Amino acid sequence: MELLGKKKKKTGLALGGGAVLGAVHVGVFKVLKEKNITIDCISGTSIGAFMAALYAFGVSAGDIEKVSEDLSWLDISKMSLSKFGLMSNEKFGELLIEQIGDKNIEDADIPLRIIATDIATGERVVLEKGNLADAVRASACIPGIFKPMEIDGRMLMDGGIVENVPVTPLVDMGADHIIGVMLTVSAAAKRPEHIIEVLLNTFEFMITNISKPYLEDVDVLIKPDLSSFDKVDTRQIRDLIKIGYEEAEKMLSN
């Protein structure tokens, strides 16, 4: 007999960064819907922050899939004259506003946390209020590629520098059960063909090792084999969604 007043377990979802590989998250969303798994809190880093924002504000898995399939590198970046980066990801924020409007983080339907890094101090910054588009842009400022975002006097960059699968904010929010989605290309990663891929590979090798301690709090880790995929080629979107769906279906059926 169930005890009266028994507390419902709180499920958190942590979405990792990985540039174009973030399309994997869409496949995960589709499985969550099919299995009627309710997410009570969500966090994201880099492209995971973008996906988490859409999900937290009630955009359906199908609509997120459409956004992902129409995405191109030019949609989220433009050349920058900044001494801090090759490009600006201003368009990334504009794309988010097109989908859900100009919102604040604290207005989300599902409690949301965005992870960034203070590039002056190296501190992990958990953004839980304020302009959503700015927070997502800050979280997705890959070092050397995108110029940093300034929020509340701090120069912020990609959250993957400190926590690429953002588990700790979910623990702090009281999550009892945590699902993590990790996007890495390691074993069979292909030889870089240009400076963007050199920078992305360097960044990934660094964050893979940093992520390990945080993953100890994850109950279900969705980590598809992405070794045959490219981090910048948006022609792979459908295949990435498919492999995300298959891995999530496998891991969430246990």
Side-chain angles (χ1 to χ4, degrees), residues 7-168:
K7 183 181 175 184
K8 174 186 174 291
K9 284 197 173 182
K10 189 174 183 178
T11 300
L13 177 64
L15 302 181
V20 170
L21 302 177
V24 163
H25 296 317
V26 180
V28 176
F29 296 154
K30 294 170 83 170
V31 174
L32 292 173
K33 180 181 179 181
E34 289 178 5
K35 294 186 176 297
N36 294 313
I37 297 173
T38 299
I39 298 302
D40 302 295
C41 52
I42 188 168
S43 59
T45 294
S46 200
I47 188 63
F50 178 75
M51 293 294 185
L54 292 174
Y55 194 81
F57 276 85
V59 181
S60 69
D63 285 342
I64 297 175
E65 181 173 11
K66 289 175 188 173
V67 173
S68 301
E69 289 180 346
D70 291 340
L71 205 60
S72 74
W73 188 255
L74 291 177
D75 284 334
I76 61 172
S77 61
K78 65 179 181 180
M79 294 305 296
S80 169
L81 298 177
S82 170
K83 62 184 178 181
F84 294 113
L86 300 173
M87 299 177 182
S88 164
N89 66 0
E90 184 177 349
K91 286 181 161 183
F92 203 32
E94 293 172 359
L95 179 61
L96 187 62
I97 292 171
E98 282 177 19
Q99 298 303 314
I100 60 175
D102 194 4
K103 306 287 188 180
N104 284 344
I105 301 169
E106 62 268 31
D107 299 327
D109 300 330
I110 302 171
L112 169 67
R113 300 291 184 268
I114 304 293
I115 309 305
T117 304
D118 185 323
I119 205 62
T121 65
E123 292 177 283
R124 177 171 62 96
V125 178
V126 180
L127 299 166
E128 56 185 74
K129 62 182 180 178
N131 187 267
L132 176 67
D134 286 350
V136 169
R137 284 183 59 201
S139 183
C141 286
I142 302 169
I145 298 178
F146 295 122
K147 66 179 183 179
M149 279 285 298
E150 186 160 325
I151 297 178
D152 295 332
R154 306 183 82 167
M155 186 179 285
L156 302 183
M157 295 206 74
D158 200 297
I161 299 170
V162 288
E163 191 173 1
N164 197 45
V165 182
V167 175
T168 54

Side-chain angles (χ1 to χ4, degrees), residues 216-231:
E216 293 177 1
D217 289 317
V218 173
D219 298 286
V220 177
L221 182 62
I222 298 169
K223 185 184 175 183
D225 179 3
L226 302 175
S227 56
S228 63
F229 290 92
D230 184 293
K231 299 183 195 71

